[in-house]
Amino acid sequence: MVKLKEIIERRGRASENLIHILLDYQKSKDTNYISEDEVKFVANELNIKESRVYSIITFYSLFSTKPRGKFIIQVCGDVPCYVNGSLNVVKELENILRIKMGETTPDGVFTLEHTSCLGCCDISPAIRIGEELYGNLTPGKIAGIISSYRRKYNENKE
Amino acid sequence: MKTRNEICGYPVITARCGKIDPDSIEDYIAAGGYKALEKALNMTSQEVVDEVKASNLRGRGGAGFPTGVKMETILKTDVFPKYLVCNADEGEPGNFKDKYLMENDPHQLIEGMIITAYSMGIEKGYIYIRGEYNKPIIIMSRAIEAAREKGFLGKRILGSDFSFDIEIRSGAGAYICGEEFALIESIEGKAGRPRSKPPYPTVSGIYNKPTLINNVETFSNLPFIIQEGAEKFISIGTPSSSGTKLVSLSGNVNNRGVYEIPFGVTIRDIIYKLGGGIPENRKIRMVQLGGASGPCIPEEMLDIKLDYKEMENKGLTMGAGAVIVIDERYNVLEIVRLIMRFFRHESCGKCTPCREGNRQILRILYRFVSGNASNNDLALLESICNVMCQTSFCGLGQTAPTAVLTTMKYFRDDYLSGMRNLSTNSNIV
């Protein structure tokens, strides 16, 4: 909770900062989610009810109340991406990661999610991993992208 | 048919895009930046508002409300503090022009906001950027910092009595936050659910104070209007729609991207002249205008001009300016189902017509896609859509069925074939 307290100090205790506090903190965690204890802590620090914190993390799609992978792979499936072959990208991702949409790999490295339009329809089909965008995808490009993140993860572990 | 150069003509808000380093305020100043602000500071508030009113600038976020009229409402209000908000929550599938503006010319947006704030006597502004837009958030933050260092933001701007500062607020993944009141709720740190209108934000917005909300593209037009004058702005475009419009062109088209075009260009020219046509010369199945909440039109309607009045006369809208091309390989109902899945997911749940309507529409569409629709389903679908349009609490629910209604009108045979057991092969799970 030290990190969470730091973020609250930096952002300020006004309840208008709640979304930013939660976003910053969730980004700083390998598990990419907000736990029950953390909700209690934030509510206590900002002097608001826990339900108020839950109203945020259950409303906005970037938050999760369940642990997710270190790298969240968000796949856009809206029309501009769909008509440029996003379904094949999804199939290939599910193949390589051996998980279905919405699941996390057993080693906790990747979570596969659908996302609404990422605003990069000019390079569709597109995905977002963490804060990086990848566009003009074909099934052939997926393996390389995934293994580069695996390498990154293993290097950090060492 | 016009040539590409004839179409693009004279860039108003993309003139610097790609030519300057977005991280360099010096580049922006060298290219004539912040000159309009200096000019505005020597004008009265009323003069600035009158110039905008004379320019006929209309909101570029989709609603098309006259910007000058909105400014005048705020100007005449004696309630303080007043707030300024830039709506950069570009979540409508098919739109990416605000992102393009923020990533390529962030200071133009900031300058537009400062000019607006000066004319309204506003001291605090927000840019609300959707949470998924990491790069624009970073670029805008740096640009705001640079503008502060140069004295364009902060206390006593350029030695005048006027003080103004901008704060960036990020969304966290909710399409509804593009709706003005949902956005205000989100800025206040709450879940983004709309409030009842009236009163409109110009009367009671952030913390119930007068709030002016404009889209990124709308603000970006302000420096040109002040610097070059309303008359020059009106000389571009058509009598009912002055200036230029950014178009986000995507889908099955060779040259996808953002194009700035004067109003009055046809959708066909946008697709074939700027977009270079359809890959492998395939035929167009349909084109969706404006984004997910916009109308779907068949190929034979592509000669319609991008113009507020002409589109209104045909019962169409241009929304934020997306043009999504879908080629003949795709089935109309499949695409409509995908669009409605988006709305089912993004409905905030506050009002029944939208929360339940989107779910029911999707269920009925599935019956059509699988060839199991009954004779009543067509009437039922139309009825639910109309109820949503007329009774939903906010613009999301009111416009969500647009794709269904327009495809029922222009692609009726596709619906009828879903009733005659000619099932289609849907890949959507």
Side-chain angles (χ1 to χ4, degrees), chain B residues 158-406:
Chain B
L158 300 182
S160 69
D161 288 337
F162 161 63
S163 303
F164 175 67
D165 212 337
I166 297 175
E167 189 184 325
I168 289 185
R169 283 295 166 94
S170 140
Y175 165 75
I176 181 66
C177 287
E179 197 277 343
E180 51 191 3
F181 268 133
L183 186 152
I184 287 169
E185 290 278 304
S186 191
I187 283 180
E188 291 182 9
K190 301 171 192 155
R193 290 195 182 89
R195 297 177 193 166
S196 181
K197 293 180 210 178
Y200 290 92
T202 45
V203 175
S204 177
I206 296 177
Y207 303 120
N208 299 323
K209 297 285 186 237
T211 304
L212 180 73
I213 305 179
N214 281 329
N215 170 264
V216 175
E217 190 185 344
T218 312
F219 278 124
S220 298
N221 274 291
L222 264 285
F224 180 93
I225 291 168
I226 296 301
Q227 184 64 20
E228 305 290 335
E231 219 158 291
K232 188 157 185 182
F233 191 77
I234 285 178
S235 71
I236 305 162
T238 65
S240 77
S241 317
S242 51
T244 61
K245 180 79 195 80
L246 291 193
V247 170
S248 311
L249 182 60
S250 68
N252 303 127
V253 63
N254 284 315
N255 313 322
R256 296 167 295 175
V258 174
Y259 298 94
E260 183 177 11
I261 53 165
F263 282 102
V265 175
T266 66
I267 306 294
R268 192 181 300 278
D269 275 351
I270 292 168
I271 294 170
Y272 285 96
K273 287 287 163 183
L274 302 177
I278 320 301
E280 295 172 38
N281 283 330
R282 290 192 189 97
K283 287 195 175 67
I284 289 178
R285 170 80 63 208
M286 67 177 183
V287 174
Q288 191 174 27
L289 304 174
S293 63
C296 297
I297 57 170
E299 203 272 341
E300 53 271 23
M301 282 180 75
L302 293 184
D303 291 312
I304 187 163
K305 290 190 177 87
L306 199 73
D307 173 89
Y308 287 112
K309 200 168 179 179
E310 180 167 335
M311 292 182 88
E312 207 175 305
N313 290 345
K314 291 215 163 57
L316 303 171
T317 49
M318 71 177 79
V323 175
I324 308 167
V325 184
I326 294 130
D327 74 28
E328 60 191 339
R329 291 170 303 164
Y330 296 93
N331 174 297
V332 169
L333 294 187
E334 223 176 284
I335 298 296
V336 174
R337 224 178 116 214
L338 199 62
I339 293 164
M340 292 319 291
R341 254 186 26 183
F342 168 79
F343 285 113
R344 183 189 60 181
H345 181 259
E346 294 298 342
S347 175
C348 81
K350 180 167 180 152
C351 76
T352 311
C354 175
R355 186 185 62 243
E356 303 303 325
N358 283 313
R359 289 175 58 213
Q360 295 305 328
I361 288 175
L362 211 50
R363 286 175 66 171
I364 299 168
L365 280 174
Y366 181 72
R367 294 206 284 271
F368 278 102
V369 169
S370 56
N372 293 320
S374 72
N375 289 345
N376 296 335
D377 279 337
L378 213 50
L380 183 61
L381 194 56
E382 197 157 7
S383 164
I384 293 173
C385 289
N386 288 331
V387 168
M388 278 180 72
C389 292
Q390 289 166 33
T391 63
S392 291
F393 193 78
C394 82
L396 188 151
Q398 290 158 15
T399 58
T402 309
V404 179
L405 286 168
T406 48

Side-chain angles (χ1 to χ4, degrees), chain A residues 16 19-20 23 52 56 59-62 77 79 82-84 87 116-119 121-122 124 128 131 136, chain B residues 96 99 130 132-134 169-170 172-173 186 188-190 192-193 207 251-252 256 330 334 338 346 427:
Chain A
E16 65 178 31
I19 296 171
H20 278 264
L23 272 178
R52 171 89 164 73
I56 299 293
F59 182 84
Y60 294 101
S61 65
L62 295 185
V79 175
Y82 176 78
V83 299
N84 281 301
L87 274 185
S116 291
C117 182
L118 293 166
C121 320
D122 50 339
S124 60
R128 188 169 89 125
E131 298 191 349
N136 293 322
Chain B
F96 43 98
K99 180 169 168 236
R130 65 185 294 213
E132 293 90 340
Y133 274 10
N134 308 97
R169 283 295 166 94
S170 140
S186 191
E188 291 182 9
K190 301 171 192 155
R193 290 195 182 89
Y207 303 120
N252 303 127
R256 296 167 295 175
Y330 296 93
E334 223 176 284
L338 199 62
E346 294 298 342
N427 295 319

Side-chain angles (χ1 to χ4, degrees), chain A residues 69 96-99 103-112 150:
Chain A
I96 288 175
L97 297 170
R98 298 200 189 114
I99 51 173
E103 293 178 348
T104 300
T105 52
D107 55 8
V109 182
F110 295 104
T111 295
L112 200 49
R150 277 226 183 274

